[in-house]
């Protein structure tokens, strides 16, 4: 069963869905979920929630501030720290719902929000289980992978000019989220990013191919991987692609080695966008089983 929800995040209204299992008796263990960076909840998060609900897990899904159904200004701006903090607001909201067992809260994140839940799991002990899928580990290291050395100076110059304009009272500059032309500067580069954006328009037709320049600058300041050693004793599952060029595979594997037990790694054969559609069964089953094990218990 799915209901529309909205809740206050210290002055910004966030909106999303609350899924409750149709079988069993509540209150239910509940997964707090949001998509990566500028993606919307309609981009397959409902499919994950349905898998979780069939296993006896409720979920609270929301659009990030400044995107989709949620409020917030500046529109199309990604602030990683505020996005992570909104997970904490979502937990506080979830714990007010009568169908939610507030002592059994899990956190699921993917791509940029895969980094959010690493940080969240380390600092918020209300979280009892974490699933981090194709996570952002280091905004700085990731930017060095995605931006050619000969383009770094031009990138910094765009940020500096945008700061000058904003200081003068002008609106923030923007850039494409994805681009078909590999020579075009964008937030998420690569042919697979362009293909995923085009395909996901079928389920999220209102999605805009635009983010603020400041989003890219703030991403370079974001270092969720430094928190990974502090997640324990909260159980951590990482789902990582062996050919991920957006949130690089080696960075994720190095971070996993720094994590303490209990932890588990699922390494799938594919790239950054494969978990959502092509390898959905692998990614959703792995997450479901981890949450069931640690929030419900062994039912075998």
């Amino acid at each position: 069963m799915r209901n529309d929800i909205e809740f206050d995040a210290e002055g910004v209204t966030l909106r999303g869905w609350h899924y409750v299992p149709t079988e069993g008796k509540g209150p239910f263990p509940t997964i707090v979920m949001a998509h990566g960076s500028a993606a919307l909840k309609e981009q397959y998060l409902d499919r994950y929630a349905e898998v979780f609900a069939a296993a006896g897990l409720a979920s609270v899904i929301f659009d990030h501030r400044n995107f989709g159904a949620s409020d917030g200004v500046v529109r199309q701006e990604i602030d990683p720290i505020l996005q992570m903090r909104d997970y904490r607001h979502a937990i506080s909201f979830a714990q007010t719902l009568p169908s939610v067992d507030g002592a059994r809260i899990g956190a699921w994140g993917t791509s940029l929000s895969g980094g959010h839940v690493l940080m969240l799991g380390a600092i918020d002990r209300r979280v009892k289980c974490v699933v981090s899928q194709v996570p952002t580990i280091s905004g700085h290291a990731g930017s060095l992978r995605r931006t050619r050395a000969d383009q770094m100076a031009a990138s910094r110059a765009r940020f500096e000019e945008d700061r000058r304009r904003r200081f003068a009272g002008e609106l923030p500059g923007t850039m494409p989220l994805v681009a078909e032309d590999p020579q075009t500067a964008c937030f998420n580069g690569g042919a697979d990013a362009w293909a995923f954006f085009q395909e996901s328009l079928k389920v999220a037709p209102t999605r805009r191919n635009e983010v603020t320049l400041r989003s890219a600058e703030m991403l370079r300041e974001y270092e969720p991987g430094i928190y990974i050693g502090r997640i324990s004793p909260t159980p951590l599952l990482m789902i990582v692609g062996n050919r991920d060029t957006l949130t690089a595979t080696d960075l994720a594997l190095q971070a996993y080695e720094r994590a303490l037990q209990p932890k588990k790694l699922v390494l799938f054969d594919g790239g950054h966008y494969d978990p959502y559609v092509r390898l959905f069964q692998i990614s959703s089953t792995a997450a479901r089983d981890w949450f069931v094990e640690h929030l419900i218990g062994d039912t075998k």
Side-chain angles (χ1 to χ4, degrees):
M1 180 176 67
R2 186 176 94 183
N3 296 309
D4 292 338
I5 56 171
E6 63 177 43
F7 57 93
D8 177 65
E10 295 186 341
V12 175
T13 299
L14 305 183
R15 298 183 178 88
W17 300 320
H18 177 39
Y19 278 80
V20 180
T22 56
E23 298 182 3
K25 183 179 179 181
F28 297 98
T30 298
I31 315 305
V32 175
M33 307 172 59
H35 221 309
S37 61
L40 308 183
K41 62 186 182 302
E42 289 84 1
Q43 292 176 255
Y44 316 112
L45 295 196
D46 51 343
R47 299 180 66 201
Y48 285 95
E50 289 164 1
V51 169
F52 298 161
L57 299 157
S59 58
V60 167
I61 303 173
F62 63 97
D63 279 332
H64 292 298
R65 64 175 62 213
N66 308 333
F67 292 93
S70 291
D71 291 348
V73 290
V74 175
R75 300 303 291 177
Q76 300 302 119
E77 179 154 283
I78 303 162
D79 185 324
I81 294 295
L82 289 182
Q83 287 189 354
M84 186 280 299
R85 289 176 179 164
D86 286 339
Y87 265 87
R88 306 189 77 180
H89 297 311
I91 293 171
S92 297
F93 166 72
Q95 290 181 323
T96 69
L97 300 174
S99 59
V100 169
D101 184 342
R104 292 187 292 169
I105 298 291
W108 180 97
T110 186
S111 192
L112 185 58
S113 69
H116 299 345
V117 297
L118 295 178
M119 191 172 178
L120 179 75
I123 64 178
D124 196 325
R125 291 302 169 187
R126 295 177 299 175
V127 176
K128 305 304 181 185
C129 188
V130 175
V131 173
S132 177
Q133 178 174 282
V134 293
T136 295
I137 299 299
S138 168
H140 173 71
S143 71
L144 295 179
R145 302 293 183 91
R146 293 192 298 270
T147 306
R148 293 199 331 242
D150 62 339
Q151 295 177 342
M152 289 297 290
S155 179
R156 287 193 295 268
R158 285 194 295 272
F159 294 152
E160 291 166 5
E161 176 62 11
D162 184 54
R163 281 185 171 275
R164 185 193 68 77
R165 289 176 178 272
R166 296 197 322 264
F167 189 78
E170 298 183 33
L171 293 175
T174 62
M175 68 188 306
L177 176 66
V178 295
E180 185 174 20
D181 182 353
Q183 300 303 314
T184 299
C186 61
F187 190 83
N188 287 335
D192 55 346
W194 174 257
F196 179 74
F197 181 89
Q198 295 301 314
E199 179 65 24
S200 65
L201 287 175
K202 297 175 183 178
V203 294
T206 62
R207 192 181 185 200
R208 292 165 56 186
N209 185 19
E210 179 184 72
V211 295
T212 64
L213 276 170
R214 184 164 51 186
S215 300
E217 187 176 30
M218 287 189 288
L219 175 61
R220 295 186 181 192
E221 303 167 355
Y222 190 48
E223 298 294 328
I226 66 176
Y227 288 85
I228 199 166
R230 292 167 48 187
I231 295 173
S232 178
T234 302
L236 168 66
L237 171 68
M238 288 181 62
I239 302 172
V240 177
N242 65 359
R243 290 183 278 112
D244 192 333
T245 57
L246 186 64
T247 55
T249 302
D250 63 310
L251 297 180
L253 295 180
Q254 290 166 15
Y256 178 78
E257 291 302 313
R258 298 195 300 272
L260 304 178
Q261 297 289 348
K263 64 179 180 178
K264 181 178 179 180
L265 174 69
V266 171
L267 186 65
F268 64 84
D269 183 18
H272 186 77
Y273 296 96
D274 285 323
Y276 308 109
V277 180
R278 188 176 74 86
L279 298 179
F280 172 75
Q281 184 173 0
I282 291 174
S283 67
S284 62
T285 299
R288 177 202 66 194
D289 291 351
W290 191 250
F291 285 133
V292 166
E293 176 182 355
H294 294 286
L295 297 180
I296 296 178
D298 190 354
T299 59
K300 296 182 180 179

